[in-house]
Amino acid sequence: MPSAPLPGPTAAAPADAPAEAAAGVPPRPAARGARGRRALRWALGGLAALAALLLLAAAALWWWLPSDAELARRAGDGAGDWLGVPVTVERLEWQLLPSPRVQLFGVRTEQEEPVTAGRIVADARWSDLLHRRLALTRLRLEDARVPQRSLGTFDVRKAGEETAPRLPFTLADIPVERAEWSGVRWIGRTGRALDYGGSVDFDAQWRPRRAELEREGVQPLTRLRIEREGTEDRWKAEVSAGGRTEQGTLRLQVLGARYRVTGAIDFSGVDVVALLGAFDRRSAVSGLARGHTDLIAEGADAAEAVRALHTRTRFTVVRARLLTFDLERAVRSAGTHKGGTTALDSLSGEVRTEADAADGTIVRYSHLEATSGVLTATGDAVLQNRRVSGHVAVDLVDGVVGVPLEFGGTVDEPTLTLPAAALAGAAVGTVIAPGVGTALGARIGETVRRIFGGGGEEAAPPPKPAQRSRPAR
């Protein structure tokens, strides 16, 4: 029986190969390699075509998209429509990967005192954008300049108003998850500039979950931190100022279409000079303060509530010192002595602050009571636009009672003088009772003025007060 030929690498395929394939016999290796090469060529050709199409699509998209300069112009126009004042954007940069981000540089409002921002960064998620949902994961503001007077000219358009710009997105339950800011310079109505930094994480309905606001570049630490208590409209507050950290509370109430924020905090051992110095204010008194502060703010929105903020603080300062006047010498000189300091055993009173849309914050001091080894004093004062006005009555322990003095001038250069009627009374008092002295005469004149309604011609300066011997101490 003849043997079958042995297969080799160059052996030709037998004539009955198709029959073998039909019978289920696997094709020979040479046939499989040829088909694989043909499939590979088809795949490579398809990929090349797809790459060409993608390149064409990218080129078309690049041609269709506006330039960065045009996008910056559109961003400025959109912001201007929202704020009601013209806005320019110097440069805009954007990216799609790994996540969407837009950066604005050189943002500026067209106002007499412009609001500016060196850089604004907005980050988002693809999942939100693909569902046409506006939700920023982070919004960051850097190197901004915010004049208080300029904010009053904004006319912010709210969603739903006919004049509000239409967006191709719907607002998410939490439109901004986190906001951050640094190098933000707040410029008050009087020109005082204060730098702030901080952050806030939001829950739904713009409720802060936690937030922090800090005065940048000052010591000791001056900072406010709040943290929400569960889902309630209550927050724990931590206030660091004047070398102390105290705990307080904040509460939000919704009253129809208005919002009311109330808060309270107890404090002790607060360095008054350091506290006011952190806000670039000069303190008239040194010492350590203790007391209690309440605040209330109410408005149709957050901005209006801040503008309507009122606070009331009851305080006592131990080991106090009046840094601007020597009250005893002012009394004995009928108000002619200037400057000096007054050591006090204690100083107590109440201070209220209230926002004023036209002239800024008004600070009212009332029920002021000061005591020392040589005097007691009571009075009141008002501070607004860095100007001071007020009254104080001083009693000296050696019998000079109720001498009226008036505060005036500015925070930087305050004055303490006798009122005109009291000056006239000082002259009369010296004649009527020269042994008692000019100071008591001043009180007599002031009392007469109050009884008869005051008025009359301006009095001449009183004569030099009589010298009095002081009791040995």
Side-chain angles (χ1 to χ4, degrees):
M1 183 174 179
S3 61
L6 296 174
T10 58
D16 57 352
E20 292 176 352
V25 179
R28 294 193 171 108
R32 289 200 303 269
R35 291 186 181 181
R37 285 191 295 272
R38 284 196 299 270
L40 180 59
R41 284 196 297 270
W42 275 105
L44 291 175
L47 288 175
L50 180 60
L53 288 174
L54 289 175
L55 287 174
L56 288 174
L61 180 64
W62 187 259
W63 175 83
W64 174 79
L65 282 176
S67 65
D68 287 352
E70 175 63 17
L71 288 174
R73 186 190 66 79
R74 293 185 185 181
D77 291 345
D81 291 340
W82 277 102
L83 298 177
V85 298
V87 178
T88 59
V89 177
E90 183 179 299
R91 191 171 86 257
L92 182 148
E93 295 181 359
W94 58 276
Q95 68 180 47
L96 299 178
L97 297 175
S99 60
R101 166 180 282 191
V102 175
Q103 298 185 77
L104 306 178
F105 298 88
V107 181
R108 179 186 182 93
T109 63
E110 298 302 319
Q111 297 172 279
E112 183 177 350
E113 295 181 83
V115 176
T116 64
R119 179 173 177 252
I120 300 176
V121 184
D123 293 311
R125 278 187 294 261
W126 271 113
S127 58
D128 291 313
L129 295 182
L130 291 176
H131 288 86
R132 303 172 67 85
R133 191 167 52 229
L134 183 59
L136 300 181
T137 58
R138 187 184 72 145
L139 180 64
R140 181 166 181 82
L141 174 64
E142 299 175 356
D143 302 325
R145 184 178 182 273
V146 186
Q148 183 180 0
R149 293 183 181 275
S150 298
L151 295 182
T153 65
F154 285 2
D155 182 18
V156 178
R157 273 69 165 177
K158 299 179 181 179
E161 293 181 356
E162 293 184 359
T163 57
R166 304 300 178 186
L167 295 175
F169 299 94
T170 59
L171 284 179
D173 291 339
I174 304 179
V176 179
E177 294 181 7
R178 179 177 175 83
E180 303 171 349
W181 58 93
S182 63
V184 175
R185 174 159 293 185
W186 174 266
I187 302 174
R189 295 179 181 276
T190 60
R192 182 186 293 107
L194 304 174
D195 292 340
Y196 290 92
S199 64
V200 56
D201 298 313
F202 287 104
D203 287 334
Q205 298 180 310
W206 297 103
R207 302 299 199 261
R209 184 167 65 255
R210 63 180 63 88
E212 178 178 304
L213 179 66
E214 181 178 341
R215 274 282 290 120
E216 293 183 330
V218 300
Q219 289 295 331
L221 177 66
T222 305
R223 180 182 64 198
L224 167 65
R225 281 180 170 173
I226 64 173
E227 185 167 354
R228 194 175 187 184
E229 297 181 355
T231 59
E232 300 294 322
D233 282 343
R234 291 174 56 89
W235 290 262
K236 296 178 182 178
E238 180 186 274
V239 180
S240 299
R244 295 281 295 176
T245 297
E246 306 288 359
Q247 306 294 324
T249 59
L250 289 173
R251 182 185 179 192
L252 171 66
Q253 295 173 283
V254 181
L255 308 172
R258 299 184 68 79
Y259 297 86
R260 176 184 292 169
V261 177
T262 56
I265 188 171
D266 293 312
F267 58 89
S268 64
V270 175
D271 187 321
V272 178
V273 173
L275 172 63
L276 295 182
F279 297 95
D280 196 27
R281 293 181 181 272
R282 179 186 176 188
S283 176
V285 176
S286 66
L288 302 179
R290 67 174 184 271
H292 176 86
T293 296
D294 295 298
L295 68 83
I296 181 171
E298 185 174 329
D301 52 38
E304 183 178 328
V306 170
R307 290 195 294 268
L309 175 65
H310 285 59
T311 70
R312 183 182 68 176
T313 301
R314 297 180 296 276
F315 67 89
T316 298
V317 182
V318 296
R319 297 193 298 276
R321 178 175 289 275
L322 184 62
L323 302 176
T324 50
F325 302 109
D326 184 330
L327 286 178
E328 182 186 8
R329 297 190 67 180
V331 168
R332 296 188 183 281
S333 66
T336 60
H337 178 77
K338 308 298 182 183
T341 64
T342 304
L344 301 172
D345 297 328
S346 68
L347 172 65
S348 62
E350 181 176 289
V351 56
R352 294 174 180 260
T353 69
E354 56 186 84
D356 184 276
D359 298 315
T361 301
I362 303 173
V363 183
R364 302 183 188 276
Y365 298 90
S366 60
H367 310 299
L368 295 174
E369 296 184 4
T371 62
S372 75
V374 296
L375 61 82
T376 62
T378 59
D380 57 76
V382 176
L383 172 62
Q384 185 176 19
N385 281 337
R386 300 184 66 82
R387 299 200 64 83
V388 182
S389 62
H391 307 82
V392 61
V394 182
D395 298 340
L396 300 184
V397 296
D398 56 0
V400 180
V401 180
V403 179
L405 297 172
E406 287 188 349
F407 293 113
T410 65
V411 173
D412 297 324
E413 295 184 4
T415 61
L416 185 64
T417 59
L418 283 171
L423 287 172
V428 174
T430 303
V431 175
I432 295 176
V436 177
T438 299
L440 183 56
R443 183 56 180 167
I444 295 172
E446 177 69 2
T447 303
V448 171
R449 184 191 69 81
R450 289 180 178 178
I451 293 174
F452 294 100
E457 297 179 358
E458 184 174 345
K464 184 177 180 181
Q467 298 293 325
R468 304 178 56 198
S469 60
R470 301 182 60 183
R473 299 180 183 172

